[in-house]
């Protein structure tokens, strides 16, 4: 019912910035929560940040709270993740995910629809 397509990943130097985008399509007139998740090489998937259906933010990872900013453009059905002051530990595949629910899940397994991911590599 929801299709999600991420973009904006790539190679970035430590301390740099980039913005990821997630375009949602399908039955977007129904309420849903949508957010960003990531999986680093050899590590488990984890939540980054999530927006509930009213735009309230859930912060899953404390280390990203001051450097990552989630936002949305309702007219374009697009969600963004602004990433500033990146470090090598931010290297991961970043996924956009959503579910038809007013609230964000407690953990990533609660999301129902997933994009294919976009790779962010932090290296000098």
């Amino acid at each position: 019912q929801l299709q999600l397509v991420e973009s904006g990943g790539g190679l970035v130097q430590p301390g740099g910035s980039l913005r990821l985008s997630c375009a949602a399509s399908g039955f977007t007139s129904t309420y849903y929560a949508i957010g960003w998740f990531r999986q680093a090489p050899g590590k488990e998937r984890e939540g980054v940040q999530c927006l509930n259906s009213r735009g309230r933010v859930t912060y899953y990872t404390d280390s990203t709270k001051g450097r990552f900013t989630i936002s949305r453009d309702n007219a374009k059905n697009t969600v963004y993740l602004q990433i500033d002051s990146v470090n090598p530990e931010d290297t991961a595949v970043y996924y956009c995910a959503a579910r038809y629910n007013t609230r964000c899940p407690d953990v990533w397994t609660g999301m129902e629809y997933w994009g294919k991911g976009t790779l962010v590599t932090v290296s000098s």
Side-chain angles (χ1 to χ4, degrees):
Q1 291 181 303
L2 278 177
Q3 295 80 49
L4 307 172
V5 180
E6 305 97 333
S7 62
L11 178 65
V12 60
Q13 295 182 337
S17 301
L18 75 169
R19 187 180 72 165
L20 308 182
S21 299
C22 173
S25 61
F27 297 103
T28 57
S29 61
T30 303
Y31 61 85
Y32 61 91
I34 187 168
W36 290 95
F37 304 79
R38 69 182 183 182
Q39 187 164 16
K43 299 185 67 177
E44 295 294 323
R45 190 172 303 183
E46 65 178 357
V48 180
Q49 296 182 10
C50 179
L51 291 169
N52 73 4
S53 63
R54 301 300 300 273
R56 185 170 183 171
V57 181
T58 293
Y59 300 97
Y60 291 110
T61 305
D62 290 339
S63 64
T64 69
K65 187 175 182 180
R67 301 182 296 112
F68 290 35
T69 304
I70 191 170
S71 61
R72 68 181 182 182
D73 185 332
N74 289 329
K76 297 181 179 179
N77 289 321
T78 300
V79 177
Y80 305 96
L81 186 68
Q82 177 69 37
I83 308 176
D84 297 319
S85 301
V86 299
N87 58 58
E89 286 67 47
D90 295 322
T91 295
V93 176
Y94 284 74
Y95 298 94
C96 180
R99 69 175 184 174
Y100 288 114
N101 195 295
T102 60
R103 305 181 69 86
C104 296
D106 292 335
V107 295
W108 67 269
T109 52
M111 286 298 194
E112 299 177 8
Y113 304 97
W114 292 81
K116 294 182 179 180
T118 184
L119 177 63
V120 173
T121 301
V122 182
S123 177
S124 61

